[in-house]
Amino acid sequence: MSAASPRPRANRLAGEKSPYLLQHAANPVDWHPWGDEAIAKARREDKPIFLSIGYSTCHWCHVMERESFENAEIAAYLNAHFVPIKVDREERPDLDQLYMTATQAMTGGGGWPMSVWLNPRLEPFFCGTYFPPDDRGGRPGFLEMLRRIQRAWKESRGTLDEQAGRLARAVGSLVDEGDAPAAAPVSLPATAYRHFERSFDAAFGGFGGAPKFPRPVQFSFLFRYAAATGDGRARDMALLTLERMAHGGIRDQVGGGFHRYSVDAEWRVPHFEKMLFDNAQLLAAYCAAWQFTRQPIFEEVAREIAEYIRRDMTSPEGAFFSAEDADSEGHEGRFYAWRLEELREALGAEEARIVAERFACVAEGNFEDGRNVLHPAEEIEAVARRLGMPAAKVRNVVARAKPKLFAARARRARPLRDDKVIASWNGLMISGLATAGRAFGDTAFATMAARAAEFVLVRLRDPATGQLLRRWRDGEARGAAFLDDYAFLAAGLLDLFEASGEARWLEEARRLTAEQIEGFWDATRGGFFLARGDDPTLFVRPKSDYEGAEPSGNSVAALNLLRLAGLTGDEAYRARAEETLRAFGPRLERFPPAMPLMMCAVMDHLAPPRQVVVAAGADREQAETLWREVNRCFLPHTTLFGPNAPRPRALAGMKPVNGRSAVYVCRNFACHAPTTDPDQLLEALGAPPIPQRPLRFEPGSFMLPQ
């Protein structure tokens, strides 16, 4: 279900559109949205601000709301002595980054809900995350913290203001570390790779221990590094991780798509929220894995992600919603987990027995309250041997069972869906779908991507200025767009251009990039700021220089600029990309794994520009066949021009061969002899070789059979 309308006795959040803010609109806390009214009140009454930042599908945000923000005593104290402000981090990533940097600087950690106390100058003087309502385990509860901070505000105001000033300066120094721009060393990608290699879990994939968060930018780096260097180990780290995730509970084995992260090292039990940005990037990663291997499991997972998005996360107009909650009926994972008797009710005793064996379900449950998270812990052949039946029968039973389980699950109370449309996350999904459309030769994916692109370009525009806006919900577009919105959307449009050959997507990407340069470029140090420079409430103008669950807007911008140079022949784009890379060179050298996608841009910049052109002859079907073969290959550092795509002047002379469609592979716009035979394309393209045996990973080993 979508976010419900606020109940009676609503506070100032009742007029907002954010599902997260509306969740708090009936709290007894006198919440304000971030804005002039709340800030003026704090200054007029000389009160500290309590700033709470979270998002609608955040489990611990729900917990703190139930325990503290719905507590009448806590609310009364908070209202009397503070100006409470609620912020949806997905609407205001600039505030989120700024105050998360402060929280991490003060506490050494961070997370959501984020709880920050500010002076009326909006400088933070005390930071934390979740607080229980009362004292627990030697730690003060939320009400006690409020009392202590109020006492310090009255008795030690000067000290708090000094602390706020120091913390604000520390945040400023972290955001702008003062390094002179410098080119990244040529050896830097190899250094980053060794960092990932040292932390790799060779048994279950992923990096580090539990909890395990997918970080899709790592897959992008590892696949590109493998293609650039021929290092099979880099490729196999990505492949093993994606394979283990596909066989874990982090993948929704019934409905498709991926949950946020795994609480264990084996990807078995997830934290159940589903995010658009995760699934968008994982869709692209599974497409790349399929292009590398042609193994059916990777295509199956990619198609499931796309179907989940089409079915559950797409608006009637074609835009993509943001997220689904982990909780339903007051319990995390209730919608997704199964008791054995529920399996028997849905499938019958015999099918349920086979499915329980296949998905590691037991009477006592592998999760909570006797419930099981479905995850295929071993190969079907092993399950079949244990059951004493042919593997084909097990496979058929499982295939028949999935739609039955889906239908049974659909009758349950569904987790809340955050149905706001965010420009940047739609850009990521447009990229993923366009990539899937090319890889699998399925125009339905490109059509989905095009509908979303049309929506964002038309609906998320300021009618007065024409500038891009951040979010749309319930008929309202609002909030100035950030760097990520421009960069991610432009990247999606470039992928859509390569998938379709339609010139309008390239032109829209160029227009967005021009607006991005005008509004966000750092003329002093290079690179792009996260926010425009016209917001006086930001005590520091943040610049994204780390990639976790989402890419950095600067990394995507650098890649876009390099791609635009290749697609248009305009070297001004390449010069701007070089300035961006120089701006982040010291950061990359200091901590290479911080920005894996910026490392991809470094590799793209170092590699000789390569172009692949399909010149269509009279045999249009042959041109499409050649184009499909090109798209089935993993080709980083390459600009693709399909049979319908406009080309820059330097490539305009690529013609069919004796009237027959042909593929030209060019480096630095110097082209080799054209190829007309699809069977010769793989060698001509220099694509990574396709393994000839099925993908199987043995425990403790992650090398792919050659």
Side-chain angles (χ1 to χ4, degrees):
M1 64 178 180
S2 297
S5 299
R7 300 187 297 272
R9 288 191 310 106
N11 55 41
R12 289 174 174 83
L13 301 183
E16 298 296 308
K17 294 288 188 180
S18 157
Y20 175 63
L21 299 186
L22 290 174
Q23 286 171 358
H24 294 266
N27 293 165
V29 176
D30 186 20
W31 292 115
H32 296 65
W34 181 274
D36 293 342
E37 180 185 345
I39 295 167
K41 177 180 171 67
R43 291 171 178 169
R44 184 175 63 251
E45 299 179 7
D46 195 32
K47 286 182 177 178
I49 291 168
F50 171 66
L51 175 63
S52 177
I53 301 179
Y55 57 103
S56 68
T57 59
C58 163
H59 174 72
W60 286 103
C61 299
H62 301 332
V63 173
M64 193 164 177
E65 180 191 17
R66 288 195 301 268
E67 293 179 339
S68 294
F69 302 146
E70 292 181 351
N71 181 296
E73 181 185 7
I74 291 175
Y77 194 89
L78 191 55
N79 294 340
H81 300 290
F82 300 85
V83 176
I85 297 179
K86 261 286 174 196
V87 167
D88 182 341
R89 67 176 296 263
E90 296 168 356
E91 289 192 333
R92 290 299 303 264
D94 53 341
L95 296 175
D96 181 65
Q97 181 177 327
L98 199 59
Y99 291 111
M100 182 60 76
T101 303
T103 301
Q104 291 169 336
M106 173 171 269
T107 69
W112 299 276
M114 194 191 324
S115 302
V116 186
W117 284 263
L118 319 177
N119 63 23
R121 294 193 301 273
L122 309 181
E123 298 168 331
F125 61 84
F126 191 78
C127 308
T129 53
Y130 163 79
F131 289 92
D134 43 33
D135 298 356
R136 292 180 189 172
R139 295 182 61 223
F142 186 56
L143 182 57
E144 177 59 24
M145 284 304 309
L146 292 174
R147 288 171 174 154
R148 291 184 186 182
I149 290 170
Q150 164 61 11
R151 188 161 56 247
W153 185 259
K154 291 297 184 185
E155 298 174 2
S156 308
R157 174 66 178 276
T159 301
L160 288 186
D161 280 340
E162 288 177 11
Q163 181 167 302
R166 285 196 303 272
L167 187 53
R169 289 190 294 274
V171 170
S173 66
L174 289 169
V175 169
D176 182 0
E177 295 175 319
D179 296 310
V186 174
S187 61
L188 209 52
T191 305
Y193 165 68
R194 287 192 293 272
H195 274 269
F196 292 131
E197 187 179 38
R198 284 195 292 271
S199 64
F200 182 65
D201 180 346
F204 300 106
F207 300 86
K212 275 187 177 171
F213 289 79
R215 193 182 175 201
V217 289
Q218 290 174 322
F219 304 136
S220 298
F221 170 77
L222 291 169
F223 281 140
R224 284 171 179 250
Y225 185 81
T229 65
D231 190 323
R233 194 173 173 88
R235 169 201 63 194
D236 295 343
M237 285 195 288
L239 291 176
L240 174 64
T241 303
L242 291 167
E243 188 267 348
R244 291 290 191 248
M245 287 172 57
H247 287 91
I250 191 171
R251 173 188 173 196
D252 181 353
Q253 300 289 338
V254 171
F258 282 84
H259 301 293
R260 182 69 197 87
Y261 65 88
S262 173
V263 301
D264 59 87
E266 300 175 23
W267 307 106
R268 290 182 176 177
V269 176
H271 177 55
F272 290 89
E273 65 187 299
K274 286 181 170 181
M275 309 300 295
L276 181 66
F277 61 77
D278 281 324
N279 283 283
Q281 295 175 89
L282 288 171
L283 173 56
Y286 277 95
C287 289
W290 180 83
Q291 288 172 316
F292 255 110
T293 66
R294 308 288 167 86
Q295 296 299 322
I297 180 63
F298 297 127
E299 180 177 0
E300 173 188 312
V301 173
R303 287 184 176 276
E304 278 187 7
I305 294 172
E307 173 58 17
Y308 159 65
I309 295 299
R310 184 202 65 77
R311 183 189 66 234
D312 294 338
M313 298 293 284
T314 302
S315 75
E317 302 88 351
F320 304 123
F321 299 137
S322 294
E324 289 192 297
D325 206 335
D327 299 8
S328 58
E329 301 181 275
H331 297 275
E332 183 180 2
R334 177 63 56 88
F335 181 73
Y336 298 100
W338 299 82
R339 290 193 172 113
L340 286 187
E341 58 265 30
E342 292 173 328
L343 293 178
R344 286 191 284 267
E345 288 172 9
L347 304 174
E350 179 60 13
E351 278 195 8
R353 182 175 73 93
I354 295 170
V355 167
E357 285 288 335
R358 171 60 175 149
F359 290 106
C361 299
V362 291
E364 63 273 20
N366 61 30
F367 175 48
E368 295 174 354
D369 193 28
R371 289 180 165 82
N372 294 274
V373 177
L374 304 187
H375 60 88
E378 54 188 348
E379 298 289 345
I380 278 187
E381 290 78 7
V383 175
R385 285 194 297 271
R386 192 164 57 253
L387 292 171
M389 61 181 62
K393 180 178 180 180
V394 176
R395 193 172 286 109
N396 290 337
V397 167
V398 170
R400 291 197 308 269
K402 281 193 175 184
K404 296 177 186 177
L405 293 176
F406 182 84
R409 195 176 77 173
R411 293 190 286 272
R412 298 175 178 176
R414 193 175 183 91
L416 176 139
R417 181 177 64 199
D418 187 323
D419 58 359
K420 67 178 179 288
V421 174
I422 296 176
S424 62
W425 296 359
N426 271 252
L428 291 174
M429 184 53 74
I430 290 166
S431 281
L433 288 166
T435 301
R438 283 201 309 104
F440 306 132
D442 192 330
T443 58
F445 296 140
T447 299
M448 282 178 66
R451 286 189 72 210
E454 292 276 13
F455 182 96
V456 175
L457 290 170
V458 173
R459 301 287 189 91
L460 274 82
R461 285 284 182 189
D462 186 324
T465 66
Q467 291 179 346
L468 189 66
L469 297 174
R470 169 70 174 175
R471 75 103 175 104
W472 181 94
R473 183 175 186 268
D474 195 21
E476 178 195 72
R478 183 176 174 186
F482 298 93
L483 169 63
D484 294 1
D485 299 302
Y486 279 94
F488 296 3
L489 181 57
L493 297 180
L494 292 177
D495 287 322
L496 196 49
F497 168 70
E498 288 193 340
S500 68
E502 293 185 41
R504 61 175 175 150
W505 303 125
L506 175 59
E507 292 310 309
E508 289 286 0
R510 296 187 72 175
R511 183 164 65 86
L512 285 170
T513 301
E515 290 180 18
Q516 171 192 301
I517 292 169
E518 180 183 359
F520 300 89
W521 180 251
D522 182 349
T524 303
R525 296 187 180 278
F528 295 90
F529 292 108
L530 176 60
R532 292 182 181 273
D534 56 0
D535 186 347
T537 68
L538 299 177
F539 64 86
V540 174
R541 194 177 177 192
K543 185 184 284 188
S544 60
D545 65 352
Y546 180 78
E547 295 174 331
E550 297 179 61
S552 162
N554 274 287
S555 300
V556 177
L559 286 166
N560 289 348
L561 290 164
L562 291 169
R563 292 178 73 183
L564 284 167
L567 287 166
T568 66
D570 185 345
E571 287 301 303
Y573 289 123
R574 192 177 307 279
R576 185 81 63 172
E578 289 171 355
E579 287 187 75
T580 303
L581 293 175
R582 286 178 59 82
F584 288 91
R587 166 68 164 160
L588 293 176
E589 194 164 7
R590 197 162 43 246
F591 187 49
M595 302 179 76
L597 211 59
M598 189 66 82
M599 284 293 181
C600 294
V602 170
M603 289 190 288
D604 277 12
H605 177 57
L606 294 174
R610 185 169 74 157
Q611 304 82 29
V612 174
V613 178
V614 178
D619 51 346
R620 293 293 303 183
E621 288 188 9
Q622 180 70 355
E624 294 299 332
T625 298
L626 291 168
W627 181 230
R628 280 196 299 273
E629 288 303 311
V630 169
N631 288 325
R632 285 160 60 87
C633 298
F634 183 74
L635 299 171
H637 327 303
T638 305
T639 305
L640 303 178
F641 296 92
N644 303 315
R647 301 178 224 148
R649 185 176 304 168
L651 298 175
M654 305 298 102
K655 304 293 185 183
V657 176
N658 298 323
R660 297 176 61 197
S661 299
V663 177
Y664 292 81
V665 179
C666 315
R667 289 188 182 274
N668 286 320
F669 296 95
C671 299
H672 301 294
T675 300
T676 60
D677 184 351
D679 294 334
Q680 297 175 3
L681 256 184
L682 195 65
E683 182 179 354
L685 292 169
I690 306 301
Q692 298 304 306
R693 288 192 283 158
L695 182 67
R696 288 288 175 84
F697 293 104
E698 299 301 326
S701 170
F702 62 91
M703 295 308 292
L704 185 69
Q706 298 295 324

